[in-house]
Amino acid sequence: MSLNGHVVPEPSFNVIMVGSLDMPGGLRFERHTHPVHQLNWATDGVITVTADSGTWVLPSTRALWIPAEVEHSTAAIGPAVMRSVYFPLADCPIDWSEPTVIAVSPLLGQLIDHLSRDGLPADARARAEAVVFDLLEPVSVTTLELPTPADARARAVTDALRADPADDRDLASWGRFAGAGERTLARLFVGETGMTFGHWRAQNRMCAALPLLAEGMAVGTVARRVGYGTASAFVAAFRRAFGVSPGNYFSAR
């Protein structure tokens, strides 16, 4: 079967299968499931994966294990190349029941590339697959959620901030922009996104920062682009959001 042109294997295959897809920025696969386990990885760029248990923002050094039949959606923040690695259910040594973040080391990435080759001999494939399973080590990361409010006034604010995350207008100014009182707008954010306006804006800035960092942009430049006066203020906010510094987040270890 296929999903928007993306081939999804049927549950009868018995080897690890690898698919690759170029994703323009903004492309999104709506909620769906796979009959097999999947490792979702962007070799270039940054993708997000959303399931009932959270949203994960994944640079090339992170991948997400998605168990079979777990409903999820996938989107590209900017241009990205997505590698989907599919694992047969039979004899799979991984038994994680929830989506799990994996650190993608250079060796794991090379093995996935190796398994994508056509005509790989069965014995060579079996050895490579065994090492892949050895390298699937979970890492602890914070999920990042950015819900969109249903109310048109609050949504006008979130749309403007997505377009320009550095816009530092306060809630009263945004209320005048959207045609709602400051208190009304504050209630709408909490009621429709589950977070305060300040929290939503901080999350939005982190979502905007990740693809820039993934491109190798300097931290100080990223800080200014997304609304922080100094690199140190941005790094502190990044640590609050993800529990690690930007450098450690993009490390393969």
Side-chain angles (χ1 to χ4, degrees):
M1 86 183 131
S2 67
L3 177 68
N4 292 357
H6 189 198
V7 176
V8 178
E10 295 297 337
S12 58
F13 73 96
N14 58 7
V15 297
I16 293 176
M17 293 180 62
V18 182
S20 185
L21 180 68
D22 291 335
M23 298 180 67
L27 179 63
R28 180 180 184 85
F29 295 132
E30 298 299 338
R31 291 176 74 89
H32 61 282
T33 63
H34 299 290
V36 293
H37 305 310
Q38 179 188 20
L39 189 69
N40 222 349
W41 172 43
T43 60
D44 294 291
V46 178
I47 61 173
T48 64
V49 180
T50 299
D52 289 343
S53 51
T55 297
W56 295 265
V57 181
L58 305 167
S60 62
T61 53
R62 298 285 184 267
L64 187 70
W65 176 273
I66 306 171
E69 305 300 345
V70 169
E71 192 173 64
H72 62 282
S73 62
T74 306
I77 294 179
V81 178
M82 183 176 72
R83 273 282 170 90
S84 292
V85 188
Y86 301 101
F87 297 82
L89 301 182
D91 301 320
C92 180
I94 305 296
D95 60 359
W96 303 321
S97 60
E98 295 290 335
T100 302
V101 176
I102 300 298
V104 181
S105 65
L107 176 57
L108 178 57
Q110 290 165 8
L111 280 168
I112 291 172
D113 287 341
H114 181 61
L115 289 170
S116 70
R117 292 170 48 198
D118 292 330
L120 191 64
D123 55 346
R125 172 174 289 278
R127 290 192 297 270
E129 289 185 357
V131 179
V132 165
F133 284 120
D134 285 342
L135 295 175
L136 295 181
E137 297 183 357
V139 293
S140 177
V141 297
T142 303
T143 60
L144 188 62
E145 297 186 60
L146 199 65
T148 299
D151 185 274
R153 295 165 293 178
R155 192 168 62 251
V157 176
T158 59
D159 287 348
L161 284 171
R162 288 181 197 268
D164 181 12
D167 194 321
D168 63 354
R169 278 179 280 182
D170 61 19
L171 196 56
S173 299
W174 282 116
R176 291 190 292 273
F177 165 83
E182 179 180 358
R183 290 183 179 179
T184 298
L185 197 57
R187 286 196 299 270
L188 286 171
F189 265 87
V190 172
E192 299 202 356
T193 72
M195 59 185 73
T196 65
F197 167 75
H199 187 192
W200 192 97
R201 178 159 61 182
Q203 297 279 77
N204 180 59
R205 287 176 170 175
M206 292 301 107
C207 281
L210 283 170
L212 302 178
L213 292 168
E215 292 171 2
M217 187 177 290
V219 169
T221 304
V222 174
R224 292 189 295 274
R225 286 276 189 95
V226 301
Y228 292 92
T230 65
S232 59
F234 168 71
V235 171
F238 195 97
R239 284 185 179 276
R240 287 194 296 272
F242 296 106
V244 295
S245 69
N248 284 337
Y249 187 89
F250 283 89
S251 169
R253 294 187 178 274

